[in-house]
Amino acid sequence: MAGRPSYQWAIRSLRESIQPPIYRWRSPYRTLHKSSCRPKPQQKSRGLSEDSYAYQYRRQRKAANVARQGELQEQRAAALGDPIRGVTTPFIKSLGSALPPQATTTDEEMANATSTPFPEKPSPSPASAADEDHLNYYLTKPEFDENLDYSRILSEPLLSVDRETVDPVKEAEAAKAHELGHQNAYEAVSRIVSLANANNKERTRANVQRIIDTFGRHNTDSHLKPKAPSLQSMYSTVAEQTPTPRAGPDTGSSEVQIGILTAKIRVLADRYEGANRNDKVNKRNLRLLLHRRQKLLKYMHKKERGSERWTNMIEKLGLTEATWKGQIAVE
């Protein structure tokens, strides 16, 4: 109430003066955290008594060892090579044009070519000569020339039976026009059947045929020796089975299949690099071909390691250990 005095404050202060103060008991020992109880690791510091020359010598040896380890790692990575492309060889370069690799000219041939005077009619370049010999659409050079000669005979202008009324000037002009038309037709058909103007699918087909002729055992058995027989097979009592004679070209041996997969992998890898980096379907197909080639390489490495077939395939296709060892990842 406003008129009466309040005695509550006086009663509270009187009680506090009568009761003794409450003190909380505390341990005389200070509690420590678990992390503070752990001993700190002793930091190795160079004392005053240590020789400065030995200290610097130890640091130099450590730096040299670290540098040497980095060099060895780079050498091992270079030795393994690229698991997708391997090492670029003349045979691998020729897959881009679907033409066989050209033989390089030696220094003596270059010197003889420069010493001789220039001929009246220059010879065709090796690239154009190879382009003329290897045609598209399963055509060969003799077939191409034979068919064009036959078409030339069919398109020749007919000679008049009455030779007295023939105008020789018009007859010569007709023969000249026919010859010019045949030259234009020859050039046009040559461009059509040339592998230089073929699309990617036709070049892959030509590369597959060339790989079969290069690595097929129907051609390589005459000059490449197989792997030597093992001791177990030499002293085995089981009679060896006579191999079935081959009918047609070899298309199923390991080296032929590895070469065909390498040509297809190169096409997919060229497409995957660049603007088509997010092509998931192409990436999956590339991974499947790489793992299929890896399985065939492991099998052939087990069966034909050290043989002439193995070394010939590795040298021409430029395959390294990374193509059949370890894990192959396409990123």
Side-chain angles (χ1 to χ4, degrees):
M1 291 182 162
R4 295 181 181 180
S6 177
Y7 300 98
Q8 295 180 1
W9 178 81
I11 294 172
R12 189 184 302 112
S13 60
L14 182 61
R15 287 178 180 177
E16 290 179 0
S17 62
I18 294 173
Q19 292 180 357
I22 300 174
Y23 295 97
R24 294 182 179 180
W25 181 85
R26 294 183 179 182
S27 175
Y29 302 99
R30 184 171 61 91
T31 57
L32 301 177
H33 196 265
K34 292 182 179 181
S35 60
S36 60
C37 296
R38 296 175 184 175
K40 294 184 179 180
Q42 297 180 0
Q43 298 180 357
K44 187 176 180 181
S45 59
R46 184 171 65 92
L48 298 176
S49 60
E50 186 178 359
D51 189 6
S52 60
Y53 176 78
Y55 175 72
Q56 294 295 335
Y57 178 70
R58 185 169 64 250
R59 291 189 59 184
Q60 290 179 2
R61 289 193 59 180
K62 182 178 180 180
N65 290 335
V66 171
R68 180 57 180 168
Q69 289 177 5
E71 293 178 0
L72 292 177
Q73 290 179 0
E74 292 179 358
Q75 291 177 4
R76 293 191 191 101
L80 287 176
D82 188 3
I84 299 177
R85 295 182 178 273
V87 180
T88 304
T89 59
F91 187 84
I92 293 297
K93 285 183 178 179
S94 65
L95 295 178
S97 59
L99 299 174
Q102 304 299 325
T104 57
T105 56
T106 59
D107 297 338
E108 296 180 358
E109 294 177 355
M110 293 293 295
N112 295 332
T114 54
S115 61
T116 55
F118 292 100
E120 297 179 359
K121 185 178 180 180
S123 59
S125 62
S128 61
D131 193 5
E132 292 177 358
D133 294 338
H134 298 82
L135 305 177
N136 198 3
Y137 306 110
Y138 299 96
L139 285 176
T140 59
K141 185 63 176 176
E143 293 176 352
F144 178 73
D145 295 337
E146 182 181 356
N147 288 309
L148 283 181
D149 290 340
Y150 185 66
S151 66
R152 178 179 182 178
I153 295 173
L154 292 178
S155 60
E156 282 183 354
L158 297 176
L159 299 178
S160 178
V161 180
D162 190 3
R163 303 301 301 172
E164 295 180 356
T165 59
V166 172
D167 188 359
V169 178
K170 292 183 178 180
E171 195 174 43
E173 291 178 354
K176 186 176 180 180
H178 171 261
E179 185 67 23
L180 182 61
H182 177 71
Q183 292 180 1
N184 294 336
Y186 184 89
E187 183 179 358
V189 176
S190 299
R191 292 180 180 181
I192 291 173
V193 300
S194 175
L195 281 173
N197 299 325
N199 57 16
N200 201 4
K201 184 178 180 180
E202 294 171 350
R203 289 183 183 180
T204 303
R205 194 243 349 131
N207 287 331
V208 168
Q209 186 63 35
R210 188 156 59 90
I211 287 170
I212 292 174
D213 297 337
T214 304
F215 298 103
R217 296 188 181 180
H218 63 284
N219 293 329
T220 59
D221 283 344
S222 59
H223 60 277
L224 294 180
K225 297 180 181 179
K227 186 179 179 181
S230 61
L231 295 176
Q232 184 179 2
S233 61
M234 291 175 62
Y235 294 101
S236 178
T237 57
V238 180
E240 295 184 359
Q241 298 180 358
T242 57
T244 305
R246 183 179 290 107
D250 176 24
T251 59
S253 60
S254 299
E255 50 266 37
V256 173
Q257 293 297 318
I258 290 170
I260 293 173
L261 288 174
T262 302
K264 293 181 178 179
I265 286 169
R266 186 177 181 276
V267 174
L268 290 179
D270 292 341
R271 179 174 175 81
Y272 183 66
E273 294 177 355
N276 299 319
R277 197 70 179 177
N278 296 325
D279 191 354
K280 305 300 182 182
V281 177
N282 189 18
K283 182 178 180 180
R284 180 180 180 274
N285 295 334
L286 178 60
R287 189 186 295 113
L288 290 176
L289 293 181
L290 286 172
H291 291 166
R292 193 181 304 171
R293 185 181 67 176
Q294 185 183 25
K295 291 180 181 179
L296 289 173
L297 281 170
K298 286 182 179 179
Y299 172 78
M300 193 171 180
H301 183 262
K302 179 181 178 181
K303 297 293 184 180
E304 296 286 343
R305 180 181 57 184
S307 64
E308 295 183 1
R309 292 174 181 171
W310 172 261
T311 54
N312 177 58
M313 180 192 68
I314 292 299
E315 290 176 358
K316 286 189 176 182
L317 295 179
L319 300 176
T320 58
E321 293 183 356
T323 55
W324 72 83
K325 286 185 178 180
Q327 182 179 0
I328 301 176
V330 181
E331 298 178 357

